[in-house]
């Protein structure tokens, strides 16, 4: 009953009408950041097999009034549609897709898995029927191939043909249904996909063989090709079924992350009992019960119980983590061992999981330049295929009409560019899935292609080569201001920034607030009109500044005014005096000038030296370019093993240095914390950001390192090179296959069944080759060309 309801036309029509409600479409859409008033929807397409299918769907969607942008990936079967609710609704542009024979589903559709399971079952049935028909037809065709002339009477041969015709009927009208139906819709909508030449080959082969069966003495009676037809259908269906299974494996990590939330949760009522509700009704403040094996539906805090959680696909942490009362849990992570009660603090788009999904959906529909080139030529190439097949049939027609048609069929099949269209996206998606499992999110698949060509790597220092947690070890103040007072003022600005230094000052101020009164006073001290200048610092106005000084006795303020214009940042930004030492220094100033300088001890990441050493072993030239003072930069450079260091560089200086290296012909990758490296990240050929340092929605990097481990930079570079190598291998194989088989088909030496086998095997070989990317390769000295490493 469930299957009927899911697949019935009435159910589909009702489903589409429900999606026209904003409450419904908001579940798989979000307001577009580029086009005001428009929404961007993430959808999954069923029935799509090739680049030409994706192009046909894109053309159909763009023809709908109100749809402003369409981006579809034939490899991931996902798409992003930007549309205006003032001109259209989801049901309208989804129906435009269904008219072509495809089905568009919301990316979070609850029945998507059931639909895929049923479609796989139907494909297996069609494959089984084709296999049985092929074996039986081959049994009846074998005597014709092995017997000498006169060994079998004409009546017996005619009976064998009729038996083959009958056995081919279920293959033709059941197993071939998807191809025939899609081809008919292509003709009706004046579109072209790779199913059209395949369907034409099937129909022509069946018609020619049927005519040879009905009229043995006619122009087509010399030979029948039911064996070729059934073998071709079997090989094609087998290839597509295996291709579907392998595609699920290559993009499995992406799907695993995109579909981790439960459909419903157990929420505690006011009376203390529990009720099961849809996840859409979950709100901030609700208390839910999460059982072992279930996923957390939102970000929250554990109120009761203790458990182990799996956050591997969200944070890159491969080991189970202990979570007990007071600990935070994140949406999309899995509860492994114990039952816990969780108070929800963030739901929906506010969760980190939602930000990860947005990144991965963006990657799943993006197209590298190599894939765009193939897509651009897919439809023209199919047109050339049809014309070449027709020309071949005309050329051979005077010799033997039946043979001419079968030669045309072989040309139709063997030149179908399935392998060519899969060569790039299959490898890219396999890599994106493997990187996701290792804690690296890919925003653009194009970046994988660019990363393979880099020769220069630039690192930020603070929060990248060093940990993002510091310790305040000394404070210098001007006369009349005590250290605790200066820290309060600094914290009023620092709380507005995500920079590691700002977070350290805010955490230090909170740790010094021992009593409830002090904590309340600190929370109330919030600067207004705050403005953060990248690479410089942060400034704002603190009202009622004279009320500070609650942590320790002493003068409250040296300023008679009730408000202060404060600046927190570099020594130049605050006009601060110079202090010796090797520690990182951040200064505070007001309208009268310098107030205080805080010395922060920073800890170099334990893996930083090994990463630099690994890059140096490849013959890299390592440099540092940093905005911090020379003492702090030199200290870190010495600890990580870098000899050439520059310091006190402004953001524009960093960008100019980057552009200068690019002008010299270098291909540059930038690795930063994603906070104040925006211009350099945007200007680099490829960029990395540490995912734990910035909200993912604000990160514009091509790669986000969820684990925060620098080793993943090296492995990602190596993986990108292997990806490009495999893409080139796939493209070379597709080109060699066509170059070898097309002449054979044109000369009539390649039967239709062999052409079908070759087409299926070529696509399978491409996907199997891409499957090698499922496991990231270990970086080896011999595998990497020389780099030049520079450190910002």
């Amino acid at each position: 009953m469930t299957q009927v309801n899911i697949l019935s036309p009435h159910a589909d029509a009702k489903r589409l009408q429900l999606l026209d409600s904003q409450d419904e479409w908001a579940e798989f859409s979000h307001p577009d950041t580029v086009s005001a008033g428009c929404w961007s929807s993430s959808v999954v397409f069923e029935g799509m097999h090739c680049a030409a299918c994706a192009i046909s769907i894109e053309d159909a969607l763009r023809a709908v009034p109100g749809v402003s942008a369409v981006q579809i990936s034939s490899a991931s079967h996902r798409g992003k549609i930007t549309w205006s609710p003032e001109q259209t609704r989801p049901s309208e542009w989804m129906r435009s897709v269904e008219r072509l024979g495809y089905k568009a589903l919301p990316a979070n559709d609850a029945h998507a898995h059931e639909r895929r399971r049923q479609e796989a079952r139907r494909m297996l049935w069609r494959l089984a029927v084709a296999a049985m028909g092929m074996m039986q037809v081959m049994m009846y065709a074998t005597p014709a191939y092995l017997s000498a002339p006169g060994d079998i009477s004409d009546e017996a041969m005619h009976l064998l043909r009729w038996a083959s015709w009958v056995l081919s009927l279920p293959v033709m009208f059941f197993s071939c249904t998807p191809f025939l139906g899609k081809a008919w819709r292509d003709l009706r909508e004046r579109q072209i996909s790779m199913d059209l030449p395949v369907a034409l080959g099937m129909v022509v082969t069946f018609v020619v063989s049927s005519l040879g069966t009905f009229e043995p003495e006619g122009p087509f009676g010399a030979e029948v090709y039911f064996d070729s037809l059934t073998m071709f259908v079997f090989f094609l269906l087998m290839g597509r079924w295996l291709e579907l299974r392998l595609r699920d494996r290559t993009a499995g990590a992406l799907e695993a992350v995109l579909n981790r939330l439960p459909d419903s949760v157990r929420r505690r009522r006011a009376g203390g009992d529990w009720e099961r509700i849809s996840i859409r009704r979950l709100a901030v403040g609700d208390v839910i019960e999460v059982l072992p094996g279930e996923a957390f539906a939102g970000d929250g805090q554990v109120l009761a119980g203790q458990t182990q959680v799996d956050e591997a696909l969200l944070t890159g942490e491969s080991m189970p983590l202990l979570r007990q009362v007071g600990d935070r849990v994140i949406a999309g992570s899995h509860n492994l061992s114990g039952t816990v009660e969780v108070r929800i603090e963030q739901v929906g788009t506010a969760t980190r999981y939602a930000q990860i999904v947005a990144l991965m959906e963006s990657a799943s529909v993006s197209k590298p330049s190599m894939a765009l080139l193939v897509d651009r030529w897919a439809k023209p190439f199919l047109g050339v295929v049809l014309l070449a097949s027709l020309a071949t049939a005309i050329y051979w027609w005077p010799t033997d009409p039946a043979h001419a048609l079968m030669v045309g069929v072989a040309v139709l099949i063997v030149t179908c560019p399935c392998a060519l269209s899969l060569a790039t996206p299959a490898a890219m998606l396999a890599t994106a899935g493997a990187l996701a499992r290792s804690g690296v999110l890919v925003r653009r698949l194009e970046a994988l292609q660019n990363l393979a060509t880099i020769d220069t790597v630039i690192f930020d220092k603070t929060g990248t080569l060093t940990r993002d947690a510091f310790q305040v070890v000394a404070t210098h103040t001007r006369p009349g201001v005590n250290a605790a007072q200066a820290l309060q003022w600094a914290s009023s600005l620092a709380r507005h920034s995500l920079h590691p230094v700002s977070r350290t000052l805010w955490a230090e101020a909170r740790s010094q607030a021992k009593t409830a009164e002090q904590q309340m006073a600190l929370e109330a001290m919030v600067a207004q009109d705050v403005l953060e200048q990248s690479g410089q610092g942060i400034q704002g106005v603190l009202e009622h500044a004279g009320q500070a000084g609650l942590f320790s006795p002493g003068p409250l303020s040296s300023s008679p005014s009730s408000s202060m214009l404060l600046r927190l940042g570099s020594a130049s930004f605050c006009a601060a005096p110079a202090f010796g030492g090797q520690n990182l220094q951040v200064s505070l100033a007001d309208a009268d000038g310098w107030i205080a300088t805080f010395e922060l001890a920073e800890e170099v990441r334990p893996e930083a030296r090994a990463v630099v050493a690994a890059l140096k072993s490849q013959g890299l030239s390592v440099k540092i370019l940093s905005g911090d003072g020379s003492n702090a930069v030199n200290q870190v450079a010495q600890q990580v093993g870098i000899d050439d260091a520059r310091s006190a560089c402004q953001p524009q200086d960093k960008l100019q240095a980057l552009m200068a290296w690019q002008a010299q012909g270098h291909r540059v990758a930038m690795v930063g914390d994603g906070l104040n490296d925006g211009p350099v990240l945007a200007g680099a050929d490829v960029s990395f950001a540490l995912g734990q340092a910035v909200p993912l929605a604000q990160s514009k990097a091509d790669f986000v390192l969820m684990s925060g481990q620098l080793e993943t930079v090296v492995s990602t570079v190596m993986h990108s090179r292997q990806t490009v190598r495999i893409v080139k291998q796939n493209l070379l194989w597709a080109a060699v296959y066509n170059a070898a088989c097309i002449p054979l088909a044109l000369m009539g030496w390649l039967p239709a069944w062999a052409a079908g086998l070759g087409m299926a095997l070529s696509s399978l070989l491409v996907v199997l080759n891409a499957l090698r990317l499922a496991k990231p390769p270990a970086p080896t000295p011999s595998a990497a060309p020389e780099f030049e490493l520079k450190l910002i």
Side-chain angles (χ1 to χ4, degrees):
M1 182 65 69
T2 302
Q3 296 178 9
V4 174
N5 289 338
I6 291 176
L7 300 173
S8 66
H10 178 72
D12 276 341
K14 187 175 181 180
R15 172 182 60 84
L16 291 178
Q17 291 176 357
L18 291 174
L19 295 179
D20 288 342
S21 168
Q22 183 170 347
D23 291 339
E24 294 293 330
W25 84 53
E27 293 297 323
F28 62 96
S29 311
H30 59 83
D32 190 65
T33 56
V34 178
S35 304
C38 291
W39 287 73
S40 182
S41 299
S42 298
V43 295
V44 177
F45 296 97
E46 293 182 350
M48 184 167 61
H49 299 287
C50 62
C53 297
I55 296 173
S56 297
I57 295 174
E58 288 179 349
D59 292 341
L61 287 170
R62 290 193 180 100
V64 177
V67 175
S68 58
V70 181
Q71 195 175 12
I72 298 175
S73 168
S74 59
S76 65
H77 295 188
R78 287 180 170 268
K80 184 171 71 173
I81 295 89
T82 304
W83 54 280
S84 171
E86 296 181 356
Q87 296 177 271
T88 187
R89 285 291 189 271
S91 63
E92 297 179 20
W93 48 263
M94 285 185 174
R95 286 194 185 97
S96 70
V97 173
E98 292 188 356
R99 282 194 291 270
L100 296 179
Y102 307 97
K103 188 180 292 293
L105 300 172
N108 64 341
D109 189 274
H111 300 299
H113 178 72
E114 177 67 16
R115 289 175 181 273
R116 287 196 298 269
R117 189 177 66 84
Q118 294 181 28
E119 178 61 30
R121 182 181 298 173
R122 287 195 298 272
M123 184 177 290
L124 275 177
W125 272 109
R126 293 190 179 100
L127 178 62
V129 170
M132 292 297 297
M134 176 192 69
M135 290 187 290
Q136 295 299 315
V137 170
M138 284 301 300
M139 182 177 67
Y140 290 123
T142 301
Y145 290 121
L146 300 181
S147 61
D151 288 350
I152 303 178
S153 65
D154 292 341
E155 292 79 6
M157 188 66 71
H158 194 51
L159 182 61
L160 292 176
R161 289 189 178 186
W162 274 102
S164 299
W165 180 79
V166 171
L167 291 169
S168 298
L169 290 178
V171 176
M172 187 67 189
F173 294 104
F174 177 69
S175 298
C176 298
T177 301
F179 308 103
L180 299 178
K182 197 70 64 60
W184 171 249
R185 281 185 287 266
D186 284 344
L187 293 174
R188 189 180 60 196
E189 298 291 334
R190 298 181 180 180
Q191 297 285 342
I192 184 171
S193 71
M194 294 183 191
D195 283 331
L196 182 58
V198 168
L200 284 176
M202 293 174 180
V203 171
V204 170
T205 304
F206 182 75
V207 169
V208 169
S209 300
S210 297
L211 291 176
T213 301
F214 299 155
E215 297 181 7
E217 304 301 327
F220 302 103
E223 188 176 358
V224 294
Y225 306 93
F226 293 117
D227 54 340
S228 296
L229 171 65
T230 53
M231 289 178 67
F232 165 55
V233 174
F234 170 75
F235 290 140
L236 186 60
L237 287 174
M238 175 63 76
R240 287 205 171 176
W241 182 74
L242 291 175
E243 192 179 304
L244 178 64
R245 297 295 300 272
L246 292 173
R247 188 192 70 83
D248 289 340
R249 290 187 61 185
T250 56
L254 297 177
E255 295 291 335
V257 173
L258 294 174
N259 299 284
R260 287 176 73 91
L261 294 186
D263 297 328
S264 61
V265 295
R266 280 171 52 84
R267 182 179 65 179
R268 188 168 66 191
R269 292 176 175 171
D273 55 335
W274 300 90
E275 63 175 341
R276 183 160 291 277
I277 63 169
S278 169
I279 191 174
R280 298 182 182 181
R281 295 173 54 193
L282 191 63
V284 174
D286 287 346
V287 176
I288 64 172
E289 183 182 50
V290 185
L291 303 177
E294 294 182 345
F296 292 96
D299 296 346
Q301 183 179 24
V302 178
L303 298 181
Q306 177 177 309
T307 187
Q308 300 278 334
V309 300
D310 176 14
E311 298 180 356
L313 289 179
L314 302 176
T315 65
E317 176 56 60
S318 59
M319 298 297 293
L321 302 174
L322 176 65
R323 291 292 183 263
Q324 51 192 355
V325 176
D327 291 339
R328 294 295 194 279
V329 292
I330 58 177
S333 59
H334 273 118
N335 182 14
L336 298 179
S337 58
T339 301
V340 292
E341 296 179 12
V342 177
R343 178 187 289 116
I344 297 299
E345 297 176 343
Q346 299 282 358
V347 294
T349 57
T351 63
R352 188 172 182 83
Y353 169 78
Q355 298 172 13
I356 293 175
V357 167
L359 281 181
M360 300 191 75
E361 285 181 338
S362 175
S364 67
V365 300
S366 64
K367 295 181 181 180
S369 58
M370 288 186 287
L372 288 173
L373 180 63
V374 172
D375 288 358
R376 189 178 303 119
W377 288 99
K379 277 197 171 183
F381 185 81
L382 286 175
V384 172
V385 166
L386 295 176
L387 293 176
S389 176
L390 178 61
T392 304
I394 293 174
Y395 174 81
W396 284 95
W397 187 270
T399 305
D400 184 348
H403 180 67
L405 290 177
M406 294 311 299
V407 170
V409 167
V411 173
L412 271 179
I413 297 170
V414 80
T415 54
C416 192
C418 294
L420 196 63
S421 67
L422 284 171
T424 299
M428 294 290 184
L429 276 179
T431 296
L435 291 177
R437 285 192 293 269
S438 63
V440 179
L441 298 187
V442 183
R443 182 186 291 273
R444 297 184 306 113
L445 295 182
E446 174 75 12
L448 286 170
Q449 182 178 328
N450 295 338
L451 185 60
T453 64
I454 66 165
D455 57 17
T456 302
V457 180
I458 301 175
F459 281 97
D460 178 38
K461 180 183 74 69
T462 304
T464 304
L465 282 178
T466 62
R467 293 188 183 274
D468 57 4
F470 300 88
Q471 182 180 2
V472 179
V473 294
T475 304
H476 308 278
T477 64
R478 74 186 182 192
V481 178
N482 62 62
Q485 183 180 23
L487 181 61
Q488 293 175 67
W489 290 337
S491 68
S492 69
L493 289 173
R495 66 190 302 172
H496 293 277
S497 174
L498 290 172
H499 193 278
V501 171
S502 297
R503 293 205 305 269
T504 298
L505 292 176
W506 173 237
E508 180 69 15
R510 294 180 65 184
S511 68
Q512 292 188 16
K514 303 298 184 182
T515 67
E517 180 186 6
Q518 292 175 349
Q519 293 171 2
M520 292 178 60
L522 182 64
E523 293 292 340
M525 191 183 302
V526 182
Q528 307 296 325
D529 302 326
V530 176
L531 176 64
E532 187 167 6
Q533 300 183 24
S534 177
Q536 293 289 315
I538 185 171
Q539 70 178 29
V541 177
L542 178 60
E543 301 290 346
H544 309 296
Q547 297 178 7
L550 295 174
F551 297 168
S552 61
L556 296 181
S557 175
S558 61
S559 175
S561 63
S562 62
S563 64
M564 301 173 63
L565 176 63
L566 296 175
R567 295 191 303 275
L568 178 68
S570 64
S572 60
F573 184 62
C574 299
F579 294 93
Q582 299 291 323
N583 293 322
L584 178 66
Q585 298 177 3
V586 57
S587 299
L588 177 71
D590 62 3
D592 297 331
W594 171 75
I595 296 177
T597 294
F598 305 94
E599 291 193 24
L600 284 71
E602 56 184 343
E603 180 184 356
V604 175
R605 292 179 181 270
E607 74 272 16
R609 187 175 185 88
V611 169
V612 172
L615 295 173
K616 275 191 170 183
S617 68
Q618 305 301 318
L620 309 183
S621 174
V622 182
K623 298 179 181 180
I624 292 180
L625 184 61
S626 175
D628 292 336
S630 59
N631 291 336
V633 172
N634 291 333
Q635 183 181 20
V636 171
Q638 183 178 5
Q639 291 179 357
V640 300
I642 300 176
D643 301 323
D644 187 3
R646 305 181 198 178
S647 58
C649 296
Q650 303 298 324
Q652 61 270 23
D653 299 329
K654 296 181 181 181
L655 184 58
Q656 288 174 1
L658 172 72
M659 296 174 64
W661 288 319
Q662 290 175 326
Q664 296 171 7
H666 293 291
R667 301 279 294 175
V668 181
M670 170 68 192
V671 185
D673 58 12
L675 293 166
N676 57 356
D677 304 314
V680 187
L681 287 172
D685 298 288
V686 183
S687 55
F688 292 81
L690 273 66
Q692 296 172 330
V694 65
L696 298 180
Q698 299 177 18
S699 174
K700 301 302 180 184
D702 299 314
F703 300 91
V704 180
L705 309 181
M706 300 299 298
S707 64
Q709 299 296 316
L710 291 181
E711 297 100 325
T712 54
V713 174
V714 181
S715 62
T716 302
V717 170
M718 306 310 297
H719 207 180
S720 69
R721 292 201 192 101
Q722 187 185 14
T723 300
V724 171
R725 285 198 299 270
I726 286 182
V727 167
K728 291 179 179 179
Q729 291 171 7
N730 287 345
L731 292 174
L732 178 63
W733 159 251
V736 170
Y737 158 74
N738 280 279
C741 293
I742 290 177
L744 296 177
L746 292 174
M747 289 184 291
W749 294 349
L750 191 70
W753 68 266
L757 177 61
M759 186 184 72
L761 289 179
S762 64
S763 297
L764 282 178
L765 183 61
V766 164
V767 179
L768 284 171
N769 198 28
L771 197 60
R772 295 164 52 199
L773 296 165
K775 183 179 180 180
T780 56
S782 61
E786 291 191 357
F787 286 88
E788 183 180 5
L789 178 70
K790 302 178 178 71
L791 179 62
I792 289 187

